[in-house]
Amino acid sequence: MSVDSSPERFTDGLATRPRRRPDHRWLTLVPLLAVLILLFVVPLCSLLVDSFRSAQGFTLENYREQVSSPVFWRAIRRTLVVAALSTGICVALGYGMAYALTRMPKRVRGVLLVVVLVPYFTSILIRSYAWIAILAPNGLVAQALALLGVETPPDLVFNQTGMLIGTVQILLPLALLPIYSVMSGIDRAPVRAAQSLGASPAVAHWHVYRPATSSAVMAAAALVFISTLGFYVTPALLGGPGDTLIAQSILVQFSNLVDPAGAAAQAALLLLIVLVLFAILFRHLAPSLSVGGTEPTPATTTARPGRRPPRGTAGPTERHEELRTLRARILDTGLDIVGRLRLPILLGSWILGAVLLVTPLVVVAIWSLSDATYLTFPPEEYSTRWFADYFTDEAWIDSTFLSLGLASTAAVVSVVIGGFGAFGLVRGPRRPRLPIAILVAMPLIVPPMIYSLGFFVLVAPHNLVGTRLGLILPYVVLGLPFSVSITAAALRNLDVRLENAARSLGAGSLSVLRHVLLPALRPALVSGFVFSFLAAFDDVVVATFMSGPTAVTLPLRMFQDIKLEVSPRTAVVAVVLLGAGAAAVLLRFVTAWLVRTVRVALSRLGDS
Amino acid sequence: MSEVSEGVQVVDQVATGGEVELDGLSKRYGTVEAVCGVSLSIRRGEFLAILGPSGAGKTTLLNMLTGFETPTSGAIRINGRDVARLAPHKRGIGVVFQHYALFKHMTVAQNVGFPLRMRRMSSREQRSHIQHALELVKLEGYATRFPDQLSGGQQQRVALARAIVFRPALLLMDEPLGALDKRLREHMRIEIKRLQRNLGATVIYVTHDQGEALTMADRVAVMNDGAVEQLGTPIDLYERPASAFVADFVGETNFFRGRAVLDADGRVRVVLDGDRLGHRREVENAASLKPDRNVDVGVRPEQVSLLPVECADGTAVLGTVSEVLYEGATALHVVETAIGNLNARLSLKNLRETRWAVGDQVAVHWDARAARGYHVAGRGSSPSS
């Protein structure tokens, strides 16, 4: 607050303003909080209430029923196993790939990051769908195996294997990126120091480098694990009929078994698991979700020094000490052996990772040109008939424009509300920062299936289902974690003194916003828009509940189409979307280049 | 009692510094030669400073010593054994890194014990060695702290303890004092020097700070453009710089362009450009100058005296004081003369009576033994002063 008083000192001399101007900046938080509470917290609470409700009033019967159902327990167990496996694989692979990235020359790094980012920005639906073509009994892998002489290839899709492969592919960037961003900031001097002190490269890595990454690794693991817990699209497409995960199970309970109370109870139990996990892992998640305020959360500051009782002083027993020496020796010997293989390991992780990430996109591109009406890969004959089919089918075109409209409207609203909210979060009062930041992160943490169900049940009686508004409202909520956290991060890096300087020079709040904040925050707002847009544009789950016959979003139409028959149609849509995305990026670079050239030309004209 | 005797034993073993020889060490990146043919031999227990501006090749040389770069050619022999192609962790060189490179997640004791652990020493043995090393750097009682809880100077000592605890044959220090404030830096110079002498350690000390090099080192190698420009004791370096570069980089020097001429008596003397009287001046290193070549004559500012004009003898150059900068013990006078602008640093003790002010006419004088001539070559000559 002392910083804030400096402009007043200047204006005091002009003697028109009151001595202490109250700080109204918290007001910018109001829209954000209103949206989050009304459209997010209230639906979840009403879902909780529903789960305790019966015709007679309050009951625990819904829970008793679910908890005693073996089907439910199997879904839970299966979900946890898939989540644990995919977390393990994603983190291990992501760690290797991220580390390899930091050791590459800058230019190679850029190319490889594109390999990670393009799939990351591609719709989950499309990537899952591509795996069907790759893993199906007559798909790419089976054919490759046949060439190698394997007569009966293993079943790779419509079972847990397929589900796992798809999940790993989709969540790998989510694990890799936070680890990479921490790794690229790590000072390598201590690693060199360790080597000069006698540690082989692997031993130095283990003792010196790895501890610096451990928090990022935990964060990545937490993100992947929590995301998998709520996964719906990928398991639904790549899993078998008996392999339902918990998110699917909730939907089945709700729509097939018509048991809203049971579905609510299941959702509440899943929510409990997710929230408990979030609480446990919070101190690791806080930095990567950009949840904390300007000050690091207490957990992270106390995490480092003084955490372990230092050795030596307490006088441990001799035997104890010998044991520890022995253990250290075994560890270091093992590390030495691993260290010899570090190049093959790093190279292998990149080959595996790149193949996993890129193959689906390549397959989709080729498949879109297939002439067949069913799944054959590679296509026997090529044609553009599916492109023609897509562009002439009014329903598909309508869905495309509907989704574009919904996603961009929601993204704009989310960026505006989120932008103001971020300002209030960063520049506003200190104390409520942490709770608000956690609340903002929640739509990303709570599985969409739970949220969509809650929202649907709440608004169903109010004629919102099947309307644009009914879709836009939850999409705004899904976009907020992105728009707020990205803008808040940018604001935190922006010097407050800029705003204060502008104020001291006589700028009012609106002028400060227009001339100082908006220009500085534009990149953040743009990327907030992109992420919010994609969150909405990729969505299947919300649409499953909120779409009516008049408003079928593109992802939902694709999803239903794939479930009905695996045709190249979705591949065509994928290629069109990817092409549009690439064109947008290209256009951005071209306009930037044009603007720069024109500017240079103008300044030359001015000079001469 | 037993602990004390063990400690003494450690000192004895630490005291065996190694003999180090760099033999034609070169490193080429593409067409750029970062280090070209550096040969140095460092005696047991010697403190050698490598001094040079940034870009001189110090870092590359250092990386080749530590093993993070492989030399294109040449050898590094420690006690006769060539280590130039060994991996860093097999060299057994103690390194104090520029920003200490301490392990932040380990305590001081764990940091210092790390090299011992890597040498598979039992925790019990480690403890006495750690204890002893911490005593040597005066950090007893800090064993259980984390590096973040220490001041810069203390962190520096931990880095030092960590580098000496395993009795390396060679101790390498890379700008170890760069991150400390001035007062602490001067204090640590004395500390490091004392430690090195007590241990009898062979030290290579890389720095761009001439003050550190001159005060601490037994010998200094001045590097420029990837090569050693001069190797000598600090006194050699300061009083008999081998080149204009060394004269300019180590301390300050006024340079005057002139021409070497052979006098009738067979001695080479120098006529300075702009000297109206065309006086033939003697220089200290006349024997090494070739006649009829362009020469820069270098004179240290503190060797210049300013006399009243009426005291001028035939060799004096007349000038006008254009600037007087008070420095405490001394005052720097900038004088404009026909042979160029020059700096004269005058001790205020000698200036009680005659203080020069801006605009005063003075006669500039220096002793012939304080002037050295340097042939003007293609590079590195005639720095402006």
Side-chain angles (χ1 to χ4, degrees):
Chain A
M1 294 306 109
S2 61
V3 190
D4 195 42
S5 63
S6 58
E8 282 175 45
R9 231 182 308 149
F10 288 103
T11 47
D12 266 357
L14 305 175
T16 44
R17 295 205 188 170
R19 198 148 263 287
R20 268 226 175 265
R21 196 156 38 91
D23 189 350
H24 286 308
R25 288 186 288 194
W26 61 271
L27 279 172
T28 57
L29 278 167
V30 170
L32 175 70
L33 291 178
V35 166
L36 281 175
I37 288 170
L38 283 178
L39 300 180
F40 184 74
V41 177
V42 169
L44 287 183
C45 289
S46 89
L47 190 67
L48 280 182
V49 171
D50 282 350
S51 72
F52 289 109
R53 190 181 284 163
S54 76
Q56 288 79 42
F58 177 82
T59 177
L60 285 173
E61 193 49 42
N62 301 321
Y63 285 93
R64 205 168 297 141
E65 210 170 286
Q66 294 310 324
V67 170
S68 61
S69 144
V71 179
F72 174 72
W73 280 115
R74 270 204 296 275
I76 287 274
R77 185 149 19 97
R78 208 176 290 125
T79 307
L80 290 177
V81 167
V82 169
L85 282 176
S86 48
T87 304
I89 298 171
C90 281
V91 170
L93 208 53
Y95 190 93
M97 292 171 76
Y99 182 71
L101 264 184
T102 61
R103 309 293 287 143
M104 307 237 184
K106 273 243 161 66
R107 213 172 301 167
V108 182
R109 237 192 262 188
V111 174
L112 291 180
L113 269 178
V114 170
V115 168
V116 177
L117 286 175
V118 169
Y120 181 59
F121 286 120
T122 307
S123 136
I124 293 178
L125 189 61
I126 289 167
R127 286 190 277 161
S128 307
Y129 157 83
W131 282 109
I132 301 177
I134 300 167
L135 300 173
N138 56 346
L140 201 56
V141 175
Q143 288 177 28
L145 286 175
L147 281 181
L148 292 172
V150 182
E151 290 300 322
T152 48
D155 281 340
L156 292 172
V157 75
F158 307 129
N159 57 19
Q160 286 195 33
T161 315
M163 201 192 285
L164 192 63
I165 294 174
T167 309
V168 166
Q169 194 267 351
I170 283 157
L171 295 179
L172 181 57
L174 201 61
L176 189 154
L177 293 173
I179 297 179
Y180 172 69
S181 88
V182 166
M183 275 184 177
S184 56
I186 290 180
D187 178 17
R188 286 199 63 81
V191 180
R192 288 177 156 219
Q195 280 178 262
S196 80
L197 295 168
S200 70
V203 174
H205 185 98
W206 180 268
H207 289 301
V208 177
Y209 194 86
R210 185 196 50 90
T213 61
S214 63
S215 208
V217 167
M218 287 305 291
L223 281 177
V224 173
F225 196 87
I226 290 177
S227 306
T228 322
L229 284 184
F231 244 35
Y232 169 67
V233 171
T234 311
L237 289 180
L238 295 176
D243 296 325
T244 42
L245 298 192
I246 185 69
Q248 264 172 294
S249 162
I250 295 172
L251 186 64
V252 168
Q253 198 74 25
F254 182 79
S255 55
N256 297 24
L257 305 178
V258 200
D259 174 15
Q266 284 193 7
L269 288 171
L270 177 59
L271 186 61
L272 184 71
I273 296 175
V274 167
L275 291 182
V276 166
L277 266 177
F278 179 77
I280 294 173
L281 297 169
F282 176 70
R283 84 187 161 98
H284 300 293
L285 276 171
S288 76
L289 282 179
S290 184
V291 188
T294 33
E295 73 279 37
T297 53
T300 48
T301 43
T302 53
R304 262 202 290 116
R307 144 207 65 169
R308 205 181 316 158
R311 62 173 68 166
T313 44
T317 65
E318 203 133 303
R319 229 179 79 78
H320 194 87
E321 205 156 299
E322 262 166 36
L323 253 170
R324 202 171 47 199
T325 313
L326 186 69
R327 216 178 43 204
R329 251 175 228 181
I330 293 170
L331 174 66
D332 289 355
T333 314
L335 285 170
D336 273 333
I337 296 167
V338 175
R340 303 243 162 82
L341 299 171
R342 66 188 188 278
L343 271 179
I345 289 175
L346 290 181
L347 199 65
S349 73
W350 254 102
I351 292 173
L352 182 61
V355 167
L356 262 179
L357 288 172
V358 173
T359 319
L361 302 189
V362 176
V363 163
V364 159
I366 298 174
W367 200 8
S368 69
L369 290 167
S370 169
D371 190 48
T373 54
Y374 49 90
L375 173 59
T376 49
F377 197 88
E380 280 146 11
E381 271 177 77
Y382 292 89
S383 83
T384 53
R385 59 174 274 205
W386 287 103
F387 279 91
D389 190 70
Y390 165 74
F391 282 112
T392 52
D393 189 328
E394 215 163 286
W396 280 88
I397 297 297
D398 282 351
S399 287
T400 308
F401 280 109
L402 173 68
S403 272
L404 282 174
L406 291 174
S408 38
T409 314
V412 166
V413 175
S414 146
V415 164
V416 172
I417 294 176
F420 280 109
F423 180 81
L425 192 63
V426 175
R427 301 276 194 256
R430 209 168 274 270
R431 207 169 311 153
R433 262 179 211 171
L434 194 60
I436 294 174
I438 292 173
L439 177 65
V440 168
M442 275 303 136
L444 202 63
I445 300 295
V446 173
M449 184 61 73
I450 301 178
Y451 169 57
S452 310
L453 178 63
F455 190 78
F456 174 76
V457 172
L458 188 70
V459 304
H462 305 294
N463 291 332
L464 269 178
V465 178
T467 66
R468 281 158 193 257
L469 186 64
L471 283 159
I472 288 174
L473 292 179
Y475 286 159
V476 168
V477 172
L478 291 186
L480 282 176
F482 298 106
S483 57
V484 174
S485 64
I486 294 170
T487 317
L491 256 174
R492 237 170 261 140
N493 290 333
L494 189 69
D495 198 336
V496 194
R497 284 172 295 184
L498 275 182
E499 290 152 55
N500 289 342
R503 288 226 164 84
S504 78
L505 296 168
S509 296
L510 267 183
S511 303
V512 171
L513 181 68
R514 217 182 109 205
H515 296 293
V516 179
L517 290 176
L518 276 184
L521 297 178
R522 201 166 56 187
L525 295 174
V526 169
S527 62
F529 175 85
V530 170
F531 276 90
S532 304
F533 178 89
L534 287 176
F537 197 72
D538 266 5
D539 164 79
V540 172
V541 180
V542 172
T544 301
F545 288 95
M546 298 304 296
S547 278
T550 50
V552 183
T553 65
L554 185 63
L556 186 64
R557 194 172 283 280
M558 285 159 81
F559 185 72
Q560 288 166 348
D561 195 56
I562 301 167
K563 292 230 83 163
L564 205 63
E565 46 157 8
V566 183
S567 74
R569 192 182 339 241
T570 300
V572 165
V573 182
V575 167
V576 170
L577 293 183
L578 279 176
V585 172
L586 207 65
L587 191 71
R588 161 125 185 53
F589 280 115
V590 169
T591 42
W593 176 80
L594 264 179
V595 167
R596 219 173 324 129
T597 336
V598 169
R599 238 179 236 160
V600 169
L602 281 178
S603 72
R604 286 229 182 98
L605 267 178
D607 284 346
S608 60
Chain B
M1 272 296 128
S2 72
E3 218 169 36
V4 173
S5 64
E6 220 174 292
V8 171
Q9 193 196 344
V10 173
V11 174
D12 285 342
Q13 280 163 326
V14 172
T16 55
E19 223 164 50
V20 180
E21 197 185 345
L22 315 188
D23 188 0
L25 213 50
S26 298
K27 178 71 189 182
R28 197 195 314 260
Y29 299 103
T31 56
V32 183
E33 192 139 61
V35 170
C36 31
V38 169
S39 295
L40 290 169
S41 64
I42 301 135
R43 294 185 299 269
R44 201 177 287 279
E46 187 178 18
F47 193 123
L48 179 96
I50 294 180
L51 176 67
S54 54
K58 289 180 312 215
T59 307
T60 309
L61 183 65
L62 189 90
N63 283 341
M64 287 193 284
L65 285 167
T66 50
F68 294 106
E69 296 274 10
T70 317
T72 313
S73 62
I76 302 163
R77 280 185 281 276
I78 299 180
N79 290 332
R81 175 165 161 262
D82 186 8
V83 300
R85 271 131 201 109
L86 277 185
H89 65 283
K90 293 181 179 151
R91 296 198 175 192
I93 297 176
V95 186
V96 177
F97 285 83
Q98 200 161 16
H99 299 284
Y100 322 137
L102 294 178
F103 310 138
K104 285 200 170 59
H105 60 291
M106 297 186 195
T107 60
V108 168
Q110 286 168 333
N111 265 284
V112 176
F114 190 85
L116 304 177
R117 183 179 167 187
M118 289 303 120
R119 284 163 179 75
R120 309 280 150 100
M121 188 182 278
S122 77
S123 325
R124 206 159 54 89
E125 256 184 291
Q126 281 185 29
R127 238 193 338 227
S128 65
H129 283 70
I130 294 168
Q131 178 71 20
H132 182 69
L134 288 180
E135 273 166 29
L136 282 176
V137 298
K138 299 181 177 167
L139 276 182
E140 314 95 317
Y142 288 84
T144 58
R145 302 262 193 112
F146 284 89
D148 286 359
Q149 301 165 320
L150 301 178
S151 70
Q154 290 167 333
Q155 292 185 26
Q156 164 70 59
R157 287 160 197 265
V158 176
L160 205 56
R162 190 177 68 175
I164 59 173
V165 72
F166 63 105
R167 313 155 200 151
L170 169 64
L171 186 56
L172 212 57
M173 303 177 126
D174 179 13
E175 307 265 2
L177 307 181
L180 302 178
D181 63 55
K182 187 166 173 286
R183 194 168 273 276
L184 196 54
R185 209 155 53 214
E186 273 157 20
H187 176 69
M188 283 305 289
R189 280 184 196 175
I190 299 168
E191 287 279 297
I192 290 175
K193 190 63 197 165
R194 173 189 61 82
L195 193 64
Q196 181 260 342
R197 214 179 287 126
N198 289 349
L199 295 174
T202 309
V203 169
I204 295 182
Y205 187 104
V206 176
T207 182
H208 70 269
D209 182 326
Q210 43 145 327
E212 279 172 27
L214 294 181
T215 52
M216 297 168 80
D218 299 320
R219 284 191 299 162
V220 180
V222 180
M223 278 191 80
N224 185 29
D225 283 345
V228 173
E229 189 115 355
Q230 185 173 7
L231 173 67
T233 64
I235 294 176
D236 279 341
L237 231 56
Y238 194 81
E239 297 186 357
R240 288 175 290 281
S243 64
F245 171 80
V246 176
D248 192 44
F249 188 70
V250 181
E252 284 172 56
T253 297
N254 295 303
F255 288 102
F256 311 106
R257 180 60 55 87
R259 199 164 173 81
V261 289
L262 189 62
D263 252 346
D265 60 357
R267 282 183 67 92
V268 175
R269 291 189 173 79
V270 181
V271 179
L272 298 179
D273 295 357
D275 187 356
R276 266 170 304 157
L277 301 172
H279 186 74
R280 300 189 160 199
R281 288 165 198 278
E282 298 206 7
V283 290
E284 193 255 342
N285 59 338
S288 66
L289 293 183
K290 298 193 184 83
D292 299 323
R293 293 270 301 271
N294 283 336
V295 165
D296 276 326
V297 171
V299 183
R300 301 267 184 210
E302 69 271 18
Q303 301 289 353
V304 177
S305 27
L306 303 182
L307 304 172
V309 179
E310 46 277 18
C311 301
D313 65 0
T315 67
V317 180
L318 296 183
T320 313
V321 176
S322 67
E323 204 98 59
V324 180
L325 306 172
Y326 178 68
E327 292 174 332
T330 55
L332 187 71
H333 296 66
V334 182
V335 184
E336 287 172 5
T337 71
I339 58 169
N341 282 5
L342 63 86
N343 292 343
R345 179 164 285 117
L346 307 180
S347 163
L348 290 179
K349 205 169 118 198
N350 304 334
L351 278 179
R352 290 269 153 71
E353 297 89 42
T354 45
R355 279 192 186 243
W356 300 112
V358 173
D360 286 349
Q361 296 287 315
V362 290
V364 177
H365 178 83
W366 62 80
D367 195 296
R369 279 167 303 172
R372 291 179 65 83
Y374 308 100
H375 286 298
V376 179
R379 65 183 171 94
S381 57
S382 183
S384 57
S385 52

